[in-house]
Amino acid sequence: MKKYVLIFLILCALALSLYGCGGQNDTALTEAEAAAIYDLTGVDASRFTDITGDVLTGERTANFRAAAKVHQYQNLYAFIVRPIAYNGPITVAVVIDGEREESLGIRIVEHVETPYYVRDMENAWFVNRFAGRSVHTYLRSVRLVAHADEEIVAITGATVTTDGIINGVNAAFGIYQEFALGLIAEYVPYMVRFERSPGTGPVETGYLAIRAYGVVLAEVSLEEIRALPSVRRMMSIHSSAGVTEHSFRGTLLSHILDFVDPSFIDDYSWVVALGVDGFTSGIGMDEVRAENNVFVVYEDNGEPLPKIDGTPGAMRVIVISDVFGQRFTNYMTEIILESERHS
C-alpha cells in the first residue's frame, strides 16, 4: 500500500511542476490575458472574480468549447476564448458590457497563424470592428462591406482566421445569453471547417487587388492593365550576379490607381506591393507621382513575365530609380494603400 501511495505522491509532484495539482487554478488569467482585459476595460484584471467554474457547466462546455475562462467585475464580463482557426488555436480576450448588453471589443493575446496572412489581425481597425456588437445576435463574416450590425468584414486573404475569431466571440455571446440572460443559445463551433490543400498558398489569379485597412477596394485584371497606355522601358539591373539588361513593358502605377479611383493618390501616402511569395516593398506616393518612375510591368524582353508556377501572366512592380532592383516585387497579387508607413 505504501508503495502505491509513494507512486501517487511522485506523480502528483510531477503533475504539480508541469500543470498544477490540487491547488493551481488553470482558469486564472495569464499576464498577457490580464493586460488585454485592462486594455479593453481600463480596470486592473486583479479586480475581476474568476467565475469560470460557475459558468462553464453542463452542456455549455460542449456547446461553447472555444471558451476557456470567464471573469467578472461588476457589469463587465471578460472571456478568454481559444477557437481553432487555420493553423491552430487563437487566444482572444472578449469583454461584454452587461449593462448595455454589447461587446467592448476584443484583443488578440496569442496565435500560431502564418504572419503573412494575418498581418492585419492585431491592428486597431480590425479588432475595433468587434466593439459595440449586441450580444443577442451571433456575428458572421462578409468579404467587402458590412451591411448589418452582426457582419464583420474579414481580413483580406485570411477568411478562415477571421471566422475562427468570430467563433470565439460568438462562444462568449452564447455563454452570456445563457448564464446572464437565461436564454438557450445556439451551439457555436470551436473549429473552422475548411479544405486545406497541402503546400498551397496565395496564387496568382490574373488580378491585382487594391486594398486599404484590410478592405479590398477594387480588383484590376491583367487584361485591364494591358488595355491602359503602355510603354517600354530599358533598364540595367545591378546585382551580386552582375548586370542584366531588361526591356520591360507595362504601365505607370499611377495610371492604374487613377483608373480605379483618382482620389487614391491624394488620400494615401504609401503603396506596399505584395508578391505571392510574401515579399513586400514600400514605395512612397511621391515616387508613384514622379514621371516615368514606378511601373507595373508584364513583359520582359518581349516575353510575358512567368508566374511563380512558370506559366505566363505575372505582374511585377519596378522602380526605375532603383538600379539594384531591391524594391522590385515579383509575382505581384496586391497593392496595399497606407496613410502612414508601418514596419
Side-chain angles (χ1 to χ4, degrees):
M1 182 67 179
K2 292 181 179 179
K3 176 181 178 182
Y4 293 114
V5 171
L6 179 60
I7 292 174
F8 172 78
L9 291 175
I10 293 173
L11 291 175
C12 191
L14 178 61
L16 179 62
S17 66
L18 295 176
Y19 308 109
C21 179
Q24 180 174 333
N25 183 2
D26 61 1
T27 62
L29 297 171
T30 67
E31 184 177 341
E33 292 165 353
I37 290 171
Y38 178 79
D39 192 32
L40 285 164
T41 65
V43 178
D44 194 291
S46 64
R47 305 181 70 178
F48 282 74
T49 300
D50 186 349
I51 61 172
T52 307
D54 298 325
V55 173
L56 295 184
T57 60
E59 292 185 358
R60 288 184 195 143
T61 57
N63 289 342
F64 310 106
R65 189 173 167 184
K69 306 175 186 180
V70 189
H71 290 238
Q72 178 185 4
Y73 172 73
Q74 298 180 356
N75 288 323
L76 298 177
Y77 297 86
F79 295 79
I80 300 300
V81 295
R82 296 196 183 101
I84 306 298
Y86 195 90
N87 286 337
I90 301 177
T91 302
V92 185
V94 185
V95 175
I96 292 175
D97 183 337
E99 184 174 351
R100 297 182 180 180
E101 296 185 353
E102 66 181 29
S103 60
L104 289 183
I106 69 168
R107 292 294 182 268
I108 308 299
V109 178
E110 188 177 12
H111 70 88
V112 292
E113 301 294 86
T114 305
Y116 167 78
Y117 298 101
V118 297
R119 52 198 175 274
D120 298 320
M121 182 172 66
E122 298 179 61
N123 286 347
W125 55 259
F126 174 70
V127 296
N128 287 346
R129 291 174 180 173
F130 292 85
R133 306 290 180 164
S134 170
V135 299
H136 294 273
T137 306
Y138 285 165
L139 305 177
R140 64 177 185 271
S141 66
V142 294
R143 186 180 178 207
L144 296 177
V145 180
H147 297 287
D149 180 65
E150 68 272 17
E151 294 179 342
I152 300 290
V153 177
I155 303 170
T156 303
T159 303
V160 173
T161 300
T162 304
D163 287 342
I165 294 170
I166 288 175
N167 281 345
V169 175
N170 285 343
F173 285 6
I175 292 169
Y176 182 85
Q177 290 173 22
E178 291 202 348
F179 89 85
L181 304 180
L183 304 174
I184 298 177
E186 184 180 348
Y187 162 84
V188 176
Y190 82 104
M191 178 182 294
V192 180
R193 302 293 181 183
F194 65 97
E195 295 294 328
R196 182 198 296 265
S197 299
T200 63
V203 296
E204 296 165 277
T205 62
Y207 284 85
L208 180 63
I210 298 176
R211 69 179 177 95
Y213 302 102
V215 177
V216 175
L217 305 177
E219 289 184 327
V220 186
S221 70
L222 176 56
E223 292 308 310
E224 289 175 310
I225 292 174
R226 284 179 175 274
L228 295 174
S230 67
V231 295
R232 187 175 298 278
R233 287 289 177 266
M234 307 298 295
M235 191 172 186
S236 299
I237 300 177
H238 301 254
S239 70
S240 58
V243 180
T244 55
E245 302 295 334
H246 299 266
S247 175
F248 292 116
R249 177 171 290 281
T251 187
L252 284 166
L253 175 56
S254 60
H255 285 169
I256 296 174
L257 296 179
D258 189 61
F259 169 73
V260 175
D261 189 331
S263 67
F264 287 167
I265 291 180
D266 295 323
D267 291 347
Y268 297 94
S269 302
W270 285 88
V271 165
V272 178
L274 176 65
V276 73
D277 56 355
F279 181 84
T280 63
S281 61
I283 305 169
M285 197 63 83
D286 55 339
E287 295 181 275
V288 175
R289 293 191 191 98
E291 185 176 0
N292 294 325
N293 190 35
V294 182
F295 290 84
V296 173
V297 298
Y298 40 80
E299 289 182 8
D300 185 14
N301 296 323
E303 297 293 333
L305 291 175
K307 295 190 290 186
I308 201 166
D309 63 5
T311 60
M315 289 175 272
R316 178 187 303 174
V317 158
I318 67 168
V319 182
I320 297 296
S321 58
D322 180 4
V323 296
F324 296 98
Q326 294 179 336
R327 289 188 294 165
F328 289 17
T329 303
N330 300 323
Y331 320 120
M332 191 170 61
T333 58
E334 291 187 26
I335 288 289
I336 305 165
L337 303 175
E338 296 182 351
S339 296
E340 57 184 35
R341 187 73 179 105
H342 301 283
S343 58

